[in-house]
Amino acid sequence: METRSIQPPIAQQIFAVREFNRFYTAKLGLLRRKHLDGAFALTEARILYEVSANPKVTASLLQETLELDAGYLSRLLAGLIRRKLLRRVASKTDAREKPLVLTATGEKAVARLNQQSSEQIHDLLGKLSTADRDALLASLANIRSLLEGQRKPPVRIVRLSKVDDAALALLHEYYEAVHVVQRDKLGSVQKLIDAPASGMWLAYLGDEAVGCVALRKLASVSRASECKRLYVKPSARGNHIADLLLDALEAFARSQGIEWIYLDSYDDLKAAIAIYEKRGYEPCERYNDNPQATLFMRKYLGA
């Protein structure tokens, strides 16, 4: 095998990165045979986490996300299915795909893994001062940004406290794109932002606002809010922005004691419907009088 000649400055940088790799893999216990000294190898635990975070995720999307060899991933999935931790379900949008969901046993296993992982990181962070923790998190964000490359500026999700021009422009683009009849007025958008268990989020790619989503408290259903106006500009798609917006929306809803998220859509919005299905939203009965809606879905967030 032909070896490349590496210039001294780069060689020193390679050594520094490799040295850090050796440090953090040992520090986090990643070299142990079983992750967190439990029942799973690290890759198995990561697969279970991804399916938990994205119900009905497909094997092909898992392969892309985790950057795994297809054959290796297939063997791991087969083993987890054999152990009754995962199961495949029928896809309503693509008969060729068999999305993955956790079984009841799998959900319990993920809950244990999450608890163990949180305790491990808590112990690490507990040894640091508040300033050191902030510095550590900033460094992690900087590392991720650098390794993802300058072509992909970091995505920021911002919860609005006041309607601005960027929000209004995105809403108008959304209305035109999906031919919305019942459109929000400026005052009603601000009321939504101010209302309990409600809000609006914008996604920024670099300095450009490229996506939005809104959450509105449902008066007709106890402990429930409604997901509205999920939209990502075509030029920004492919950066998982819709998922990041929904992550922020769902996390906020949980913090407000919301147990159910409802939404309405219509059959032509197949890409959006696929995102909702992947995240665990399921069909439900009509809950509003929106004349354009043909599909109604909801997701249980937990008590």
Side-chain angles (χ1 to χ4, degrees), residues 38 47 50 53 62 67 79 92 97 135 142 151 172 174 186 194 204 206 261 281 286:
I47 289 171
E50 290 294 333
L62 265 180
E67 300 184 17
K92 296 179 181 178
E97 290 278 17
N142 192 38
R151 295 181 185 178
H172 178 74
Y174 166 79
L186 175 60
D194 295 335
Y204 287 84
I261 300 289
Y281 288 80
R286 175 182 281 273

Side-chain angles (χ1 to χ4, degrees), residues 150-226:
Q150 297 302 317
R151 295 181 185 178
K152 295 180 72 174
V155 177
R156 292 184 295 116
I157 307 298
V158 177
R159 181 168 178 255
L160 296 183
S161 58
K162 184 178 180 180
V163 183
D164 59 20
D165 291 342
L168 294 176
L170 281 166
L171 285 173
H172 178 74
E173 190 170 327
Y174 166 79
Y175 298 146
E176 295 298 316
V178 299
H179 312 293
V180 172
V181 174
Q182 296 180 343
R183 304 189 176 193
D184 302 302
K185 295 180 180 179
L186 175 60
S188 65
V189 177
Q190 186 61 51
K191 284 183 180 179
L192 181 147
I193 290 172
D194 295 335
S198 303
M200 184 172 181
W201 290 260
L202 296 191
Y204 287 84
L205 196 57
D207 295 325
E208 181 187 6
V210 296
C212 62
V213 72
L215 183 71
R216 179 167 61 195
K217 184 76 169 67
L218 275 178
S220 59
V221 184
S222 175
R223 294 185 176 277
S225 288
E226 182 182 27

